[in-house]
Amino acid sequence: MKTATAIAIAIVVLAGSAGDVFLTKGMKQAGEISTMRPRALALIGKKILGNKFFLVGIVFMAVSFFAFLAVLSWADLSLIIPATSLSFVVSTVGAKLILKERISSLRWAGALLVSLGVALISLP
Amino acid sequence: MKTAVVLTLAIVAQAAGNVYLSKGMRDMASVGPISGGDLPLILLRGIESPAIWFGTALLLAFFLLYAAALSWTDLSFVLPATAFGYAVNVACGHYFLHEAVTPARWTGAALISVGVVLVARSGPSGLAKRKRDHAGQECQ
């Protein structure tokens, strides 16, 4: 694997996971969405769009997406997707370390199987 | 229950969104092969395609439902659970877009499904559990 490809894939995975972690933190801060009334939803939407963590999460997701598009232009999709499927495991690690989520062994096993399955699906 | 409904809707929206987007892009490509220099033309044609609009709207709906679920449920639950969409996408590609699905892909879809069942059995939220634990500590 070329160094540039490895770096680009690392950016896709790390920025994507950081995006998920920040997005979660922002949504948790904005509070549980437990209403369907349009007016209340609009208020929550305003709160979310003003939340720093949410916005940083969106920026990380955009960085991850553009790194993904860039690496697609020179490397094989059948290499990229299996490599980026690692993000399911990296995000789970982020959820544990940064969001302090409790992750049972059952949930770890599930995340690993999902990651493996996504890698298999993308093989040609 | 709320989590199950929202995540199911999210997965369906994502799978349907990908199918419509694929269909729209392929209809466009069938007019002529696409190269990098055609980007403005692709965007213009994309705007005219109802399938691409509909696909994009569905993917936006997916993101809103995903973010909503994150407002009350663990990321380590929502993320693998929505990955079930990959397995649904393989099935949709096979049945609606008539794609050939290799045994390796079906195996991948099966592994994802088993993984999602494991995650689902781990319970939707550590948050509620933390609150309960916290209340328990206060009682002591």
Side-chain angles (χ1 to χ4, degrees):
Chain A
M1 197 193 296
K2 282 193 297 184
T3 319
T5 310
I7 292 174
I9 288 176
I11 293 175
V12 173
V13 171
L14 292 175
S17 295
D20 273 326
V21 168
F22 277 106
L23 188 73
T24 307
K25 211 166 164 61
M27 291 305 293
K28 290 268 164 24
Q29 271 188 358
E32 179 174 346
I33 298 173
S34 53
T35 175
M36 289 300 278
R37 283 179 302 143
R39 214 168 168 173
L41 278 178
L43 264 175
I44 297 174
K46 212 173 148 188
K47 206 168 154 190
I48 291 167
L49 288 177
N51 185 290
K52 272 187 215 145
F53 286 114
F54 180 85
L55 296 176
V56 171
I58 299 287
V59 170
F60 269 117
M61 284 181 162
V63 168
S64 169
F65 181 69
F66 286 116
F68 179 70
L69 286 187
V71 72
L72 271 183
S73 70
W74 76 75
D76 284 343
L77 188 65
S78 53
L79 165 76
I80 300 167
I81 306 263
T84 54
S85 71
L86 268 179
S87 64
F88 286 100
V89 177
V90 175
S91 290
T92 308
V93 172
K96 181 178 167 61
L97 296 182
I98 299 165
L99 301 171
K100 310 285 177 210
E101 290 182 5
R102 280 190 189 176
I103 299 158
S104 61
S105 42
L106 206 57
R107 206 180 269 191
W108 276 118
L112 279 173
L113 277 182
V114 164
S115 185
L116 199 65
V118 172
L120 267 182
I121 274 187
S122 49
L123 290 177
Chain B
M1 186 61 194
K2 183 165 90 169
T3 312
V5 172
V6 168
L7 289 182
T8 305
L9 285 175
I11 288 165
V12 171
Q14 190 187 32
N18 282 334
V19 168
Y20 275 101
L21 208 58
S22 286
K23 205 173 145 23
M25 294 302 285
R26 277 177 206 181
D27 289 347
M28 244 164 46
S30 67
V31 179
I34 293 173
S35 78
D38 296 334
L39 199 64
L41 192 70
I42 295 169
L43 286 176
L44 271 178
R45 277 197 208 152
I47 291 170
E48 287 171 0
S49 159
I52 288 180
W53 273 108
F54 197 50
T56 308
L58 282 168
L59 289 178
L60 182 69
F62 159 76
F63 179 76
L64 293 178
L65 290 164
Y66 175 73
L70 287 177
S71 79
W72 69 79
T73 310
D74 283 352
L75 173 64
S76 58
F77 179 81
V78 173
L79 197 65
T82 49
F84 190 59
Y86 281 94
V88 177
N89 272 331
V90 170
C92 285
H94 179 67
Y95 290 110
F96 298 121
L97 300 172
H98 308 292
E99 292 175 350
V101 178
T102 59
R105 282 196 185 147
W106 283 124
T107 310
L111 279 185
I112 291 173
S113 306
V114 174
V116 170
V117 169
L118 290 188
V119 170
R121 285 182 62 98
S122 76
S125 172
L127 195 68
K129 208 171 146 196
R130 271 201 299 277
K131 272 181 191 160
R132 272 204 308 277
D133 290 352
H134 195 64
Q137 278 164 10
E138 276 172 1
C139 288
Q140 289 163 6

